[in-house]
Amino acid sequence: MTQQGHSHRHYDESMLSVEEALERILSFISVLEPEEKPLLDAIGQVLAEDAVSQYDIPPLDNSAMDGYAIQADSAKGASEETPATLRVIGSVAAGALPKDTVTPGTAVRIMTGAPIPEGADAVVPFEDTDEIERRNSGDRLSEIGIQFEVQKGADIRPAGEDVRKGQLVLEKGVVLRPSEIGVLASLGYREVKVVRRPVIAILATGDELLEPGDEYGAGKIYNSNNYSVASSVLRYGGVPNLLGIARDNLDSMNAKLREGLAADMLITSAGVSKGDYDMVKDVLAQHGKIDFWSVRMRPAKPLAFGVLNAPDGRQVPHLGLPGNPVSAMVAFEQFGRAAIHKMMGKNNLNKPTIKAVLDDPIYNNDGRRVFARAIITKENGTYHARLTGHQSSNLLTSMARANGLAICPEDLPMKDVGEVVDVQMLDWPEDVF
Ligand code: AMP
Ligand code: MG
């Protein structure tokens, strides 16, 4: 412990800031290789190729309305009382190519999306003609009355208005949302090259753990970490591979770790707090290199990170989360999520963060960054944060009540009621900016 000149509190200088820990972790994480996927299956993944259009979209000048393609000059002086009567020489539907040429005094009946016939320079929607009256009186529509003047180019959508042939439409690195999936479909893509999703092996450790479904035993607890972590992995785009539970002995740990080497990353929980970790350290030393860190945060101060050597020569990053269920989830949000997003090729690794007014104080008694479980509501356009109650890191139901993590910075002794704090929104998967 070192006395800090600028602070009346104490903290261990060997502690890493959240940012330092994250930076070290990310320096061992690389973007995964691309894969070809059916378009629909690629939602949420990152485009691994530039998408260049082979075509103009729309391919031809076409009609924005159902109506009549004419020469604007043919409707000069037209009004409802004195419509311009034009001879209808044909019709054209969407997907067809027009055969007729529009000349002064003629019109071609046209549907939305149909190409503009040669000679025409405007479209008059049905509503601006006397078509209904003519129909009602049994007219075969060999002629049509245009009831308004029209500007050249009216209701014509130009070829290439959306996309030009040869244009770079979506750049490599873009995250595919429904609109990008639609754009790729409009370019004719059936499959698309995207960065593949990381497989994350997930391992719990502890002699006290039962699997959900096992018969309840005195003194035992159900393994919740594997399930909260695996569902977080799913939510953020990874593919979880649950390895179950390693017992607190060398053989069990060794066997499970070997299984984990097939993944892109291994996430374990527990066994990183003082007194516990010597065994884990010994085991991991046989497979690679591991560091135990103290991170300047609450909860989730103890954290392990290392690199394991897979038999195929790959280096598999290993993130060791603390065992307490809230600590495991909060540490996953800070470090695991960013690692997954980096592997997926995403550029924005930040957790979505808003400003909120505190309705409860957050205390910080030992100079760590406090992530307080909070319930965020919007009142009269302002976000408010109240805490879920007791902030002990074993209370998993308090995490279930929270929709945000309200932050008290490490260098402040408290954030009081009425003060504005940053809040990481737990249910907002992407930062909007
Ligand atoms: P440890 O780091 O092994 O000392 O564990 C810290 C605390 O977290 C202990 O109370 C453990 O029982 C608890 N814990 C560890 N692993 C899990 C798990 N997978 N699910 C729920 N609680 C756990
Ligand atoms: Mg344990």
Side-chain angles (χ1 to χ4, degrees), residues 132-151:
I132 290 185
E133 292 93 307
R134 283 175 184 270
R135 271 189 195 287
N136 290 345
S137 59
D139 192 290
R140 284 177 12 263
L141 294 177
S142 57
E143 291 188 331
I144 191 73
I146 308 293
Q147 296 172 319
F148 297 91
E149 291 199 338
V150 61
Q151 299 270 315

Side-chain angles (χ1 to χ4, degrees), residues 24-191:
R24 285 197 198 180
I25 290 168
L26 292 179
S27 73
F28 288 95
I29 305 280
S30 0
V31 179
L32 298 177
E33 65 281 6
E35 63 178 351
E36 196 84 29
K37 272 198 141 178
L39 191 53
L40 198 50
D41 295 348
I43 182 73
Q45 285 178 264
V46 170
L47 192 60
E49 60 185 337
D50 286 341
V52 175
S53 185
Q54 319 259 29
Y55 326 98
D56 278 344
I57 305 174
L60 299 167
D61 291 353
N62 68 95
S63 180
M65 300 290 280
D66 292 340
Y68 288 88
I70 69 166
Q71 293 191 352
D73 285 347
S74 301
K76 268 241 168 73
S79 68
E80 282 182 82
E81 297 74 37
T82 58
T85 304
L86 308 184
R87 192 159 56 85
V88 179
I89 58 171
S91 73
V92 57
L97 289 175
K99 303 179 292 288
D100 307 292
T101 299
V102 172
T103 53
T106 69
V108 165
R109 200 161 183 274
I110 193 165
M111 298 299 131
T112 304
I116 303 297
E118 222 180 287
D121 59 16
V123 169
V124 180
F126 287 151
E127 307 86 273
D128 293 353
T129 72
D130 58 7
E131 185 176 297
I132 290 185
E133 292 93 307
R134 283 175 184 270
R135 271 189 195 287
N136 290 345
S137 59
D139 192 290
R140 284 177 12 263
L141 294 177
S142 57
E143 291 188 331
I144 191 73
I146 308 293
Q147 296 172 319
F148 297 91
E149 291 199 338
V150 61
Q151 299 270 315
K152 278 198 168 70
D155 282 319
I156 294 181
R157 306 189 291 207
E161 183 184 28
D162 196 5
V163 171
R164 295 222 153 271
K165 182 176 174 178
Q167 183 185 328
L168 171 59
V169 183
L170 295 176
E171 251 175 288
K172 189 176 160 173
V174 159
V175 181
L176 300 183
R177 303 169 304 162
S179 49
E180 281 80 19
I181 296 285
V183 165
L184 289 167
S186 81
L187 301 180
Y189 281 75
R190 186 175 57 184
E191 284 96 30

Side-chain angles (χ1 to χ4, degrees), residues 299-321:
K301 181 169 92 162
L303 190 78
F305 184 76
V307 181
L308 308 176
N309 301 310
D312 60 7
R314 284 177 315 121
Q315 298 230 298
V316 180
H318 165 223
L319 180 61
L321 304 173

Side-chain angles (χ1 to χ4, degrees), residues 204-205 208-209 221-226 269-273 276 323-325:
T205 66
E208 74 280 33
L209 299 177
I221 58 169
Y222 286 113
N223 165 21
S224 59
N225 288 349
N226 275 13
S269 62
V272 296
S273 43
D276 226 356
N324 273 312

